[in-house]
Amino acid sequence: MTKAKKSMLILVVLISMFVSFRSICYANAAEPPSILIIVSNPPPDLDISIKTSDTYVKANKVDKAMERYYTFYSRHLRGVGDYVFKITIGEESYQIAIEKPLNSYNNVYTLNLKDRTLTPGKLPSRSIILISMRVILTLLIEAIIFWLFGFRDKSHWTAFLVINVMTQGVLNIWINGFAPTESYLIFSLVFGEILVFIAELYAFLFVIKAHRLRTVFYVVTANLMSLMAGGYMITKLPI
Protein backbone atom coordinates (compact mmCIF):
# COMPACT_ATOMS: atom_id res chain seq x y z
CA MET A 1 0.00 0.00 0.00
CA THR A 2 1.41 3.41 -0.97
CA LYS A 3 1.89 6.18 1.56
CA ALA A 4 -0.87 8.24 -0.09
CA LYS A 5 -3.32 5.35 0.28
CA LYS A 6 -2.25 4.83 3.89
CA SER A 7 -2.83 8.50 4.57
CA MET A 8 -6.27 8.34 2.97
CA LEU A 9 -7.16 5.26 5.05
CA ILE A 10 -6.11 7.00 8.27
CA LEU A 11 -8.16 10.05 7.30
CA VAL A 12 -11.30 7.98 6.58
CA VAL A 13 -11.01 6.05 9.86
CA LEU A 14 -10.50 9.17 11.98
CA ILE A 15 -13.32 11.09 10.28
CA SER A 16 -15.61 8.10 10.87
CA MET A 17 -14.70 8.20 14.56
CA PHE A 18 -15.37 11.93 14.63
CA VAL A 19 -18.85 11.80 13.09
CA SER A 20 -19.88 8.83 15.25
CA PHE A 21 -19.95 10.99 18.39
CA ARG A 22 -23.43 12.25 19.24
CA SER A 23 -24.46 15.18 21.38
CA ILE A 24 -27.73 16.72 22.46
CA CYS A 25 -28.58 20.11 20.99
CA TYR A 26 -31.04 22.61 22.43
CA ALA A 27 -32.85 25.32 20.52
CA ASN A 28 -32.67 27.91 23.29
CA ALA A 29 -29.52 28.99 25.08
CA ALA A 30 -29.38 29.49 28.82
CA GLU A 31 -29.72 32.95 30.29
CA PRO A 32 -26.24 34.53 30.46
CA PRO A 33 -24.92 34.99 33.98
CA SER A 34 -24.78 38.50 35.41
CA ILE A 35 -22.18 37.51 38.00
CA LEU A 36 -20.00 34.41 37.90
CA ILE A 37 -17.67 33.52 40.77
CA ILE A 38 -14.82 31.04 40.23
CA VAL A 39 -13.66 28.98 43.21
CA SER A 40 -10.70 26.63 42.95
CA ASN A 41 -10.88 23.32 44.84
CA PRO A 42 -13.97 24.32 46.83
CA PRO A 43 -15.15 22.31 49.84
CA PRO A 44 -18.31 20.33 49.04
CA ASP A 45 -20.46 22.32 51.47
CA LEU A 46 -19.48 25.76 50.14
CA ASP A 47 -22.45 28.01 49.27
CA ILE A 48 -22.46 31.59 48.04
CA SER A 49 -25.48 33.86 48.41
CA ILE A 50 -26.18 37.48 47.55
CA LYS A 51 -28.12 39.87 49.76
CA THR A 52 -31.39 41.21 48.37
CA SER A 53 -33.83 43.58 50.04
CA ASP A 54 -35.18 41.03 52.51
CA THR A 55 -33.23 37.78 52.12
CA TYR A 56 -30.21 36.01 50.65
CA VAL A 57 -30.41 34.29 47.25
CA LYS A 58 -28.14 31.30 46.61
CA ALA A 59 -26.08 31.02 43.44
CA ASN A 60 -26.44 28.21 40.92
CA LYS A 61 -23.49 25.81 41.07
CA VAL A 62 -21.64 24.13 38.20
CA ASP A 63 -18.74 21.76 38.89
CA LYS A 64 -15.71 21.50 36.63
CA ALA A 65 -12.42 19.73 37.08
CA MET A 66 -10.47 21.47 39.86
CA GLU A 67 -13.02 24.23 40.40
CA ARG A 68 -16.67 25.25 40.71
CA TYR A 69 -18.65 28.11 39.22
CA TYR A 70 -21.24 30.03 41.25
CA THR A 71 -23.57 31.98 38.96
CA PHE A 72 -26.11 34.69 39.68
CA TYR A 73 -28.48 35.47 36.81
CA SER A 74 -30.38 38.71 36.34
CA ARG A 75 -33.46 37.16 37.97
CA HIS A 76 -31.39 36.55 41.11
CA LEU A 77 -30.29 40.17 41.32
CA ARG A 78 -33.69 41.85 41.46
CA GLY A 79 -33.89 43.87 44.63
CA VAL A 80 -30.11 43.89 45.13
CA GLY A 81 -28.90 47.25 46.41
CA ASP A 82 -25.46 46.78 47.90
CA TYR A 83 -23.56 43.84 46.41
CA VAL A 84 -22.90 41.84 49.56
CA PHE A 85 -22.13 38.14 49.26
CA LYS A 86 -22.41 35.60 52.08
CA ILE A 87 -19.87 32.81 51.94
CA THR A 88 -21.02 29.75 53.89
CA ILE A 89 -18.89 26.68 54.66
CA GLY A 90 -20.70 24.30 56.97
CA GLU A 91 -21.64 26.27 60.10
CA GLU A 92 -19.21 29.11 59.38
CA SER A 93 -20.11 32.13 57.26
CA TYR A 94 -18.75 35.59 56.45
CA GLN A 95 -19.59 38.45 54.09
CA ILE A 96 -17.74 40.13 51.25
CA ALA A 97 -18.93 43.38 49.68
CA ILE A 98 -17.99 44.57 46.18
CA GLU A 99 -18.74 47.62 44.08
CA LYS A 100 -21.60 47.43 41.61
CA PRO A 101 -20.47 45.35 38.58
CA LEU A 102 -19.61 47.30 35.44
CA ASN A 103 -21.37 45.05 32.92
CA SER A 104 -24.96 43.91 32.59
CA TYR A 105 -23.81 40.33 31.95
CA ASN A 106 -20.76 38.12 32.30
CA ASN A 107 -19.07 39.78 35.26
CA VAL A 108 -16.42 37.29 36.38
CA TYR A 109 -14.87 37.22 39.86
CA THR A 110 -12.45 34.86 41.61
CA LEU A 111 -12.99 33.92 45.25
CA ASN A 112 -9.89 33.33 47.36
CA LEU A 113 -11.08 31.22 50.27
CA LYS A 114 -7.86 31.65 52.23
CA ASP A 115 -7.75 35.45 52.02
CA ARG A 116 -11.55 35.82 51.92
CA THR A 117 -11.40 38.17 48.93
CA LEU A 118 -13.30 38.53 45.67
CA THR A 119 -11.10 39.67 42.78
CA PRO A 120 -12.55 40.84 39.43
CA GLY A 121 -11.68 38.61 36.47
CA LYS A 122 -9.71 35.40 36.19
CA LEU A 123 -6.37 34.99 37.93
CA PRO A 124 -3.41 35.24 35.49
CA SER A 125 -1.82 32.14 37.05
CA ARG A 126 -5.04 30.18 36.41
CA SER A 127 -5.15 31.30 32.77
CA ILE A 128 -1.50 30.36 32.20
CA ILE A 129 -1.98 26.88 33.66
CA LEU A 130 -5.18 26.14 31.73
CA ILE A 131 -3.88 27.50 28.41
CA SER A 132 -0.66 25.51 28.77
CA MET A 133 -2.61 22.36 29.66
CA ARG A 134 -4.87 22.61 26.61
CA VAL A 135 -1.97 23.41 24.27
CA ILE A 136 0.10 20.47 25.55
CA LEU A 137 -2.81 18.02 25.22
CA THR A 138 -3.49 19.24 21.68
CA LEU A 139 0.19 18.95 20.76
CA LEU A 140 0.30 15.37 22.02
CA ILE A 141 -2.72 14.43 19.88
CA GLU A 142 -1.40 16.14 16.77
CA ALA A 143 2.11 14.73 17.31
CA ILE A 144 0.72 11.18 17.24
CA ILE A 145 -1.15 11.94 14.02
CA PHE A 146 1.96 13.59 12.53
CA TRP A 147 3.98 10.47 13.29
CA LEU A 148 1.26 8.16 11.89
CA PHE A 149 1.36 10.07 8.63
CA GLY A 150 5.02 9.15 8.28
CA PHE A 151 6.80 12.41 9.02
CA ARG A 152 10.17 11.54 10.49
CA ASP A 153 12.64 14.26 9.45
CA LYS A 154 13.98 16.51 12.18
CA SER A 155 13.18 19.59 10.11
CA HIS A 156 9.56 18.44 9.79
CA TRP A 157 9.24 18.03 13.56
CA THR A 158 10.80 21.44 14.15
CA ALA A 159 8.22 22.94 11.80
CA PHE A 160 5.49 20.97 13.58
CA LEU A 161 6.42 22.36 17.00
CA VAL A 162 6.83 25.96 15.86
CA ILE A 163 3.62 26.06 13.81
CA ASN A 164 1.43 24.28 16.35
CA VAL A 165 2.70 26.15 19.39
CA MET A 166 1.92 29.42 17.61
CA THR A 167 -1.52 28.48 16.24
CA GLN A 168 -2.74 26.56 19.28
CA GLY A 169 -1.32 29.17 21.62
CA VAL A 170 -3.17 32.00 19.88
CA LEU A 171 -6.38 29.93 19.68
CA ASN A 172 -6.36 29.05 23.38
CA ILE A 173 -5.46 32.58 24.49
CA TRP A 174 -8.45 33.77 22.46
CA ILE A 175 -10.75 31.11 23.95
CA ASN A 176 -9.55 32.09 27.42
CA GLY A 177 -11.05 35.54 26.88
CA PHE A 178 -14.58 34.15 26.96
CA ALA A 179 -16.67 33.72 30.09
CA PRO A 180 -16.32 30.19 31.52
CA THR A 181 -20.01 29.40 30.97
CA GLU A 182 -20.33 31.04 27.55
CA SER A 183 -23.34 29.35 25.89
CA TYR A 184 -21.94 29.49 22.38
CA LEU A 185 -18.32 28.69 23.20
CA ILE A 186 -18.35 25.61 20.95
CA PHE A 187 -19.20 27.81 17.95
CA SER A 188 -16.28 30.08 18.81
CA LEU A 189 -14.05 27.00 18.98
CA VAL A 190 -15.23 25.83 15.54
CA PHE A 191 -14.61 29.28 14.06
CA GLY A 192 -11.16 29.41 15.64
CA GLU A 193 -10.26 25.93 14.39
CA ILE A 194 -11.20 26.94 10.84
CA LEU A 195 -8.76 29.85 11.02
CA VAL A 196 -6.12 27.55 12.53
CA PHE A 197 -6.68 25.04 9.72
CA ILE A 198 -6.12 27.72 7.06
CA ALA A 199 -3.01 29.05 8.80
CA GLU A 200 -1.52 25.58 9.37
CA LEU A 201 -2.26 24.40 5.84
CA TYR A 202 -0.44 27.39 4.37
CA ALA A 203 2.46 27.11 6.84
CA PHE A 204 3.02 23.35 6.46
CA LEU A 205 2.85 23.48 2.66
CA PHE A 206 5.31 26.36 2.70
CA VAL A 207 7.79 24.50 4.92
CA ILE A 208 7.35 20.90 3.69
CA LYS A 209 7.91 21.01 -0.05
CA ALA A 210 7.64 17.26 -0.64
CA HIS A 211 4.70 14.98 0.27
CA ARG A 212 2.20 17.79 -0.37
CA LEU A 213 -0.87 15.54 -0.60
CA ARG A 214 0.10 13.74 2.59
CA THR A 215 0.65 17.10 4.27
CA VAL A 216 -2.85 18.25 3.33
CA PHE A 217 -4.35 15.03 4.69
CA TYR A 218 -2.39 15.45 7.91
CA VAL A 219 -3.56 19.03 8.46
CA VAL A 220 -7.21 18.08 7.82
CA THR A 221 -7.03 15.07 10.13
CA ALA A 222 -5.11 16.84 12.90
CA ASN A 223 -7.53 19.75 12.99
CA LEU A 224 -10.58 17.48 13.04
CA MET A 225 -9.10 15.60 15.98
CA SER A 226 -8.15 18.88 17.68
CA LEU A 227 -11.70 20.14 17.25
CA MET A 228 -13.14 16.96 18.74
CA ALA A 229 -10.65 17.00 21.63
CA GLY A 230 -11.17 20.73 22.19
CA GLY A 231 -14.94 20.31 22.27
CA TYR A 232 -14.56 17.61 24.89
CA MET A 233 -12.05 19.62 26.95
CA ILE A 234 -14.26 22.71 27.18
CA THR A 235 -17.06 20.58 28.62
CA LYS A 236 -14.81 19.01 31.27
CA LEU A 237 -11.95 21.41 31.95
CA PRO A 238 -12.28 25.01 33.17
CA ILE A 239 -12.04 27.82 30.64
Side-chain angles (χ1 to χ4, degrees):
M1 184 180 293
T2 64
K3 288 185 176 180
K5 289 182 178 179
K6 287 182 179 179
S7 300
M8 180 64 76
L9 179 60
I10 293 172
L11 178 62
V12 170
V13 171
L14 292 176
I15 290 177
S16 299
M17 292 172 57
F18 177 75
V19 299
S20 66
F21 282 84
R22 298 181 179 180
S23 61
I24 300 174
C25 298
Y26 299 91
N28 297 318
E31 178 188 1
S34 293
I35 298 176
L36 185 146
I37 299 175
I38 300 171
V39 186
S40 296
N41 300 312
D45 55 352
L46 171 65
D47 283 312
I48 302 178
S49 308
I50 191 168
K51 185 178 181 181
T52 63
S53 55
D54 55 357
T55 187
Y56 280 90
V57 178
K58 285 187 178 182
N60 290 3
K61 294 185 284 188
V62 175
D63 286 304
K64 291 276 188 174
M66 303 177 291
E67 64 185 29
R68 185 182 299 150
Y69 304 145
Y70 292 80
T71 55
F72 295 95
Y73 298 100
S74 57
R75 64 182 182 273
H76 295 142
L77 303 178
R78 294 168 189 160
V80 172
D82 298 327
Y83 283 78
V84 178
F85 297 91
K86 183 168 73 172
I87 315 300
T88 304
I89 305 174
E91 300 298 324
E92 181 185 5
S93 66
Y94 56 90
Q95 294 183 347
I96 301 176
I98 63 170
E99 295 183 359
K100 183 178 180 179
L102 297 176
N103 303 318
S104 298
Y105 295 111
N106 292 334
N107 297 278
V108 178
Y109 293 83
T110 299
L111 173 63
N112 186 316
L113 291 172
K114 181 179 179 181
D115 297 337
R116 297 188 174 185
T117 57
L118 268 176
T119 304
K122 306 173 184 177
L123 295 180
S125 57
R126 172 188 180 275
S127 296
I128 291 171
I129 291 172
L130 292 177
I131 290 171
S132 300
M133 186 184 303
R134 291 195 297 269
V135 170
I136 291 171
L137 288 174
T138 303
L139 285 176
L140 288 174
I141 293 170
E142 296 202 6
I144 293 172
I145 298 171
F146 197 67
W147 185 84
L148 289 174
F149 270 85
F151 293 100
R152 300 289 189 273
D153 292 351
K154 183 178 179 180
S155 60
H156 293 167
W157 280 96
T158 301
F160 167 85
L161 286 174
V162 172
I163 293 170
N164 278 285
V165 167
M166 291 179 63
T167 56
Q168 294 301 324
V170 170
L171 174 63
N172 281 280
I173 290 172
W174 180 61
I175 291 294
N176 186 70
F178 289 89
T181 56
E182 181 70 49
S183 301
Y184 298 105
L185 189 56
I186 187 63
F187 296 107
S188 301
L189 177 64
V190 171
F191 175 74
E193 282 290 354
I194 292 173
L195 296 181
V196 167
F197 166 74
I198 295 171
E200 289 189 357
L201 183 61
Y202 176 83
F204 274 108
L205 288 176
F206 179 80
V207 174
I208 303 177
K209 303 298 183 182
H211 317 299
R212 299 182 72 81
L213 183 60
R214 189 178 1 145
T215 301
V216 172
F217 286 151
Y218 156 71
V219 175
V220 172
T221 305
N223 280 276
L224 282 175
M225 293 300 101
S226 294
L227 177 59
M228 185 170 67
Y232 178 79
M233 282 190 283
I234 65 176
T235 63
K236 300 298 181 182
L237 295 177
I239 298 298

